[in-house]
Amino acid sequence: MRWYRELYLGPTASRHIRRIRKKARDGRVMAGVYYITPSSAGEGLLDVYHNGMLKQPLFAHLQCTDIVGVAYGKLEATELVRVIIEDIYRKTGGLDVRNYFKDQDFGEY
């Protein structure tokens, strides 16, 4: 799992990000915590999934594990996706999510 340097955070997740990262490193499942990643499907923009999905071997193998956003709850995750998409569009004039998030912008934070 790699984290985006300028990680997008929902308001509730931002208050608990240290704890979320520590638990993620320890491989613990956190109730209500959702990760936002670049889409694993060729034509999608972003994927949203509960952090516990990484515990599933098949899913972890297929899913992109570059985390660009963290939210607490489905509603906060949906709002955060909107913020990310709007930010990308405002900065680039397009919706090329794959090229917006560069490989060098991720690390093991």
Side-chain angles (χ1 to χ4, degrees):
M1 177 182 310
R2 299 182 319 157
W3 301 84
Y4 183 56
R5 285 187 189 172
E6 297 177 30
L7 190 64
Y8 289 89
L9 297 169
T12 306
S14 68
R15 293 192 301 266
H16 304 287
I17 191 58
R18 283 188 174 159
R19 188 175 336 153
I20 290 169
R21 285 186 176 184
K22 182 182 181 327
K23 287 182 178 183
R25 272 192 306 275
D26 295 343
R28 296 175 58 192
V29 175
M30 298 161 275
V33 175
Y34 288 83
Y35 294 145
I36 300 167
T37 69
S39 180
S40 296
E43 297 189 19
L45 296 176
L46 297 167
D47 288 338
V48 177
Y49 62 95
H50 187 272
N51 70 89
M53 297 298 281
L54 283 180
K55 298 301 243 179
Q56 306 301 319
L58 180 60
F59 187 83
H61 174 70
L62 297 174
Q63 176 63 41
C64 173
T65 56
D66 289 343
I67 310 299
V68 299
V70 179
Y72 191 82
K74 290 180 183 179
L75 187 61
E76 189 170 285
T78 303
E79 177 62 18
L80 191 56
V81 166
R82 184 192 61 77
V83 168
I84 294 169
I85 295 299
E86 284 180 355
D87 194 37
I88 292 170
Y89 187 77
R90 188 174 33 345
K91 290 178 180 176
T92 67
L95 294 176
D96 190 355
V97 173
R98 288 240 174 255
N99 286 325
Y100 180 78
F101 295 112
K102 305 287 187 221
D103 195 50
Q104 67 269 17
D105 292 335
F106 290 88
E108 306 288 328
Y109 302 104

